[in-house]
Amino acid sequence: MYQVKHLFRLPVRLYSSLPPKFNPWQDYRAYLDQVKTYINRLNPYVELDLRSAALNWDYILNDENSQIIAENIKQRKENEYADIEQIHALHHDVQALFHRIEEKKLDPIQGEDQIKLKIQDLYNHALRIPNNTHPDVPIGNQEQARVVRLVGKKPETTGNSQTIDQIGQELNLMQLENMGHVSFRGAYALFGDFARLERALMYYTFEKLTKNGFKLVSVPDIIHRGIIESCGFPTKGKRSQVYQLDYGEEFGRYCLAGTSEMPIAGLLKHNTFRKDELPLKLAACSRCYRAELPGGKGEGNLYRVHEFNKVEMFAVTTDDDDVSQEMHNEIVRLESSMFEELGLHFRVLDMPSEELGLSAHRKYDIETWMPAKGFYGEISSASNCTDFQSRRLHIKYIDDNGDERFVHTLNGTAMAIPRMLTAIIESNWKPDIGQVQIPVPLRAFMGNREFISKTSATPRTQWIKFLS
């Protein structure tokens, strides 16, 4: 047979099960096995030890599922980037090429080259298909978010409420002006007790997470673009918020991580766990880099920044939907307990389909009331990505039958420092005494003091004119 001798240049034994007269439509299973074999031999990132994504090809390429997949793409507003009809058209083209080779109507070598191009194109399109959506997720945009829980008493908003920008400058603990001479636009610097408060939030979070079974890990901030894309974040194009290094051939392959979810997931690639090793719960504090667009003056200078510190949770479970959903709930409960202890008024939202991105099956956001700004601002997010990331990074476990299965991965923001600083400082500002009251859980990390007061003048960045 021609495909045995020439196609993909694979050993004959791989195709010994093919029928004497191979028809890619009638012998669909044998045909699909050949397509999978070729996909498995793709090398999406030559310089990175990462196999091609093990997508659920049986489901994706089944015509009976095209309407379901198309509807999911539409509900998640991914129409511009994912097209199941195009994928199926490529799939049928590949079938036709196989058939023409078998019928000796196409030269095997030429046919092989055409099949390679078609399957590569099919693979690239399939990577853009979003995760399936939990049936209880609200359909639509941000306005359709469902309030799951409301916690704490909403602080009163007065006309003279001060923002963190104003408080920080009044106390000489924050610099916003002239930062463009030192760093990128939107940069900021914290001094004295504001810098200590930033660290206090980190240490408080570490303590809470370790008590709840999370293991701390320190991860790199510069990671390969293949890891980021495998997590569901594009590194190129108008939707990307990723900073990509652009220095020669080598450094252009690497990016600055937007969250430690990315490097943690990368560290687990090509790993297979025993079932009794799960759930695996990890946490990391890292510097996060995002090409954020300005959100307007009403948000303030610390709400949407290009680099910030964040403590992230990452969990790995079996592929049992009930198990991963319970882990999802556990992450949200832990986030909520910390924010409640810190005295914040907040709401937990079940996010709608258009807010899920590529990877999330379901996502809960937590928004806290920011009194000086007069709106609820997002401070945390928790996503159940099911097997979206594990299929791309080949993270598996061995089930009770000894079979390898793809794990479910979950992530959640334990503490996004700038926004938490904003919420805590604005909510605890005492204008009558000109001080910020430190939340009780943080005082042990702040020298057991109750208040943050004005400090002496801090360094200022300014232009210096040199005369020649």
Side-chain angles (χ1 to χ4, degrees):
M1 293 173 58
Y2 286 106
Q3 66 268 28
V4 173
K5 294 172 62 177
H6 300 285
L7 196 57
F8 310 142
R9 299 184 177 91
L10 293 176
V12 174
R13 62 184 174 83
L14 291 178
Y15 300 98
S16 59
S17 60
L18 291 179
K21 188 69 174 176
F22 173 58
N23 185 306
W25 287 279
Q26 295 175 0
D27 307 307
Y28 180 76
R29 174 52 55 189
Y31 151 76
L32 191 59
D33 286 344
Q34 290 201 50
V35 172
K36 290 179 184 178
T37 298
Y38 179 72
I39 290 174
N40 290 338
R41 299 180 71 218
L42 293 176
N43 192 356
Y45 306 101
V46 177
E47 67 286 347
L48 180 66
D49 177 26
L50 180 61
R51 300 194 295 271
S52 55
L55 304 186
N56 189 346
W57 297 110
D58 294 54
Y59 179 81
I60 293 172
L61 299 181
N62 188 335
D63 288 337
E64 295 180 1
N65 300 323
S66 61
Q67 187 58 43
I68 297 173
I69 296 173
E71 185 63 23
N72 186 51
I73 291 171
K74 180 180 178 181
Q75 290 177 350
R76 295 174 73 124
K77 210 174 181 181
E78 296 289 342
N79 313 57
E80 187 179 346
Y81 310 99
D83 186 348
I84 190 62
E85 291 185 5
Q86 176 67 16
I87 293 169
H88 281 229
L90 289 165
H91 168 45
H92 296 147
D93 287 347
V94 172
Q95 283 180 298
L97 287 168
F98 271 106
H99 185 64
R100 290 181 64 196
I101 292 172
E102 180 62 35
E103 294 295 315
K104 299 182 181 180
K105 295 179 180 179
L106 179 64
D107 178 74
I109 302 300
Q110 292 180 350
E112 176 186 352
D113 291 338
Q114 293 180 42
I115 287 173
K116 283 181 179 180
L117 292 174
K118 291 285 186 182
I119 290 183
Q120 180 70 67
D121 203 13
L122 183 153
Y123 175 80
N124 291 337
H125 276 80
L127 288 177
R128 302 172 192 166
I129 298 176
N131 199 348
N132 58 22
T133 306
H134 191 284
D136 294 337
V137 164
I139 304 302
N141 58 21
Q142 170 76 32
E143 295 181 357
Q144 306 306 314
R146 182 187 302 121
V147 178
V148 176
R149 187 181 174 209
L150 201 62
V151 179
K153 183 180 179 181
K154 184 176 179 180
E156 293 183 6
T157 302
T158 62
N160 59 355
S161 296
Q162 289 181 271
T163 66
I164 186 174
D165 304 1
Q166 296 168 327
I167 296 168
Q169 293 182 24
E170 182 174 327
L171 299 181
N172 292 324
L173 294 174
M174 184 167 66
Q175 180 174 337
L176 299 169
E177 300 89 352
N178 299 320
M179 289 300 296
H181 308 327
V182 179
S183 181
F184 197 61
R185 57 183 169 82
Y188 62 95
L190 304 177
F191 301 97
D193 281 342
F194 273 18
R196 292 190 185 94
L197 187 60
E198 179 182 51
R199 298 297 166 182
L201 284 167
M202 294 180 195
Y203 297 144
Y204 164 75
T205 308
F206 295 156
E207 189 174 271
K208 294 289 290 186
L209 295 184
T210 52
K211 285 182 178 178
N212 282 272
F214 282 83
K215 297 179 180 178
L216 299 184
V217 56
S218 179
V219 295
D221 296 332
I222 300 176
I223 56 176
H224 194 282
R225 64 184 179 87
I227 300 299
I228 295 176
E229 291 168 358
S230 296
C231 288
F233 301 94
T235 61
K236 296 178 181 179
K238 63 182 181 180
R239 287 199 308 170
S240 177
Q241 290 187 328
V242 176
Y243 283 115
Q244 188 165 358
L245 303 185
D246 186 16
Y247 181 71
E249 212 171 291
E250 178 181 358
F251 291 104
R253 304 165 184 163
Y254 295 88
C255 305
L256 299 177
T259 167
S260 56
E261 167 197 348
M262 300 169 179
I264 293 177
L267 290 175
L268 299 179
K269 74 180 177 70
H270 295 173
N271 265 279
T272 300
F273 297 93
R274 299 191 312 270
K275 187 177 179 181
D276 60 11
E277 293 178 298
L278 303 179
L280 176 66
K281 299 194 289 186
L282 303 173
C285 181
S286 69
R287 197 73 170 167
C288 303
Y289 301 87
R290 299 182 186 179
E292 291 270 18
L293 294 174
K297 291 183 179 180
E299 289 185 347
N301 288 288
L302 256 69
Y303 188 79
R304 206 176 296 276
V305 292
H306 294 274
E307 57 175 308
F308 58 97
N309 290 319
K310 178 164 72 80
V311 183
E312 182 80 0
M313 294 177 280
F314 191 92
V316 178
T317 72
T318 66
D319 62 342
D320 185 314
D321 290 337
D322 292 337
V323 172
S324 63
Q325 183 59 55
E326 178 51 37
M327 176 56 68
H328 198 190
N329 294 337
E330 179 184 333
I331 290 173
V332 175
R333 284 195 298 268
L334 185 50
E335 292 169 340
S336 300
S337 68
M338 289 189 288
F339 303 149
E340 190 169 9
E341 280 187 9
L342 293 171
L344 298 179
H345 164 65
F346 60 89
R347 61 187 185 185
V348 180
L349 304 176
D350 190 358
M351 298 306 290
S353 56
E354 292 182 16
E355 297 295 317
L356 299 182
L358 277 179
S359 60
H361 173 63
R362 193 175 197 176
K363 183 173 78 163
Y364 293 106
D365 277 4
I366 296 181
E367 297 181 342
T368 189
W369 180 253
M370 298 187 173
K373 297 175 176 56
F375 66 72
Y376 284 97
E378 180 192 339
I379 56 171
S380 183
S381 181
S383 299
N384 183 354
C385 298
T386 60
D387 62 358
F388 182 93
Q389 295 173 340
S390 64
R391 284 184 172 274
R392 287 157 172 77
L393 293 168
H394 298 271
I395 310 172
K396 303 177 182 179
Y397 80 100
I398 300 173
D399 67 10
D400 293 332
N401 297 320
D403 297 325
E404 290 187 356
R405 302 183 64 85
F406 290 101
V407 301
H408 284 187
T409 61
L410 304 95
N411 63 82
T413 306
M415 198 64 64
I417 303 299
R419 293 192 181 184
M420 284 300 295
L421 285 174
T422 299
I424 288 173
I425 290 170
E426 290 184 1
S427 298
N428 291 277
W429 171 242
K430 309 298 180 185
D432 52 331
I433 59 175
Q435 295 179 325
V436 177
Q437 189 171 32
I438 302 170
V440 174
L442 302 180
R443 292 177 189 175
F445 308 101
M446 296 285 292
N448 293 312
R449 290 181 294 121
E450 186 178 355
F451 292 98
I452 293 174
S453 306
K454 186 172 184 177
T455 186
S456 58
T458 51
R460 295 289 171 182
T461 304
Q462 58 187 349
W463 281 105
I464 299 177
K465 186 176 182 179
F466 290 94
L467 300 177
S468 57

